[in-house]
Amino acid sequence: METIETVAALAALAQDNRLDVFRLLVKAGPDGMSAGEIAETLGLAPNTLTFHFDRLRVAGLVTVRRDGRSMIYAAHYDTMNALLGYLTENCCRGRADLCVPAVSRKPASRTARRKEQVI
């Protein structure tokens, strides 16, 4: 994944509703979900959702297909995996296998992170 594609994907995910939509689609699996079902599940207005879908689609994070009168959206796993790969390729000096234990640790609380910054 190129830097410009990474920036586009991160920018698309840097909004709470779009992040919620993307996470829901990842959970839904390759069959995806209809726009109406997504709107209902997340409690979002359909017209607002159209804007969010467009941002995610342009960033390559979701695909869309027509099924009768419904638009079915699905996570684009290749882009998601490429983004994760890009973000972790230099993890632990290029040894991503060493980062696995860090992923399983519970993240530090906000207060603990502030204390670490002060020290």
Side-chain angles (χ1 to χ4, degrees):
M1 178 172 254
E2 298 294 324
T3 301
I4 194 162
E5 295 165 320
T6 302
V7 170
L10 291 173
L13 294 171
Q15 199 279 338
D16 57 345
N17 291 328
R18 286 193 294 272
L19 183 59
D20 289 344
V21 167
F22 186 70
R23 292 182 71 211
L24 181 63
L25 290 173
V26 168
K27 291 177 189 177
D31 292 335
M33 296 175 72
S34 71
E37 190 177 9
I38 295 167
E40 184 177 321
T41 301
L42 297 177
L44 298 172
N47 60 338
T48 302
L49 201 49
T50 300
F51 170 77
H52 295 310
F53 284 141
D54 285 344
R55 289 291 305 266
L56 292 168
R57 188 184 49 75
V58 167
L61 292 166
V62 300
T63 60
V64 61
R65 71 181 188 284
R66 182 174 291 282
D67 184 15
R69 292 177 43 178
S70 296
M71 300 303 285
I72 307 298
Y73 291 86
H76 192 252
Y77 294 98
D78 289 343
T79 303
M80 178 187 76
N81 289 328
L83 176 61
L84 293 172
Y86 182 92
L87 294 173
T88 59
E89 77 181 42
N90 295 311
C91 182
C92 299
R93 297 186 178 124
R95 298 264 331 265
D97 57 308
L98 298 177
C99 297
V100 174
V103 172
S104 63
R105 288 194 314 245
K106 184 178 178 184
S109 69
R110 183 177 281 168
T111 304
R113 286 192 301 262
R114 281 192 203 130
K115 287 180 183 177
E116 288 175 3
Q117 291 172 352
V118 172
I119 294 176

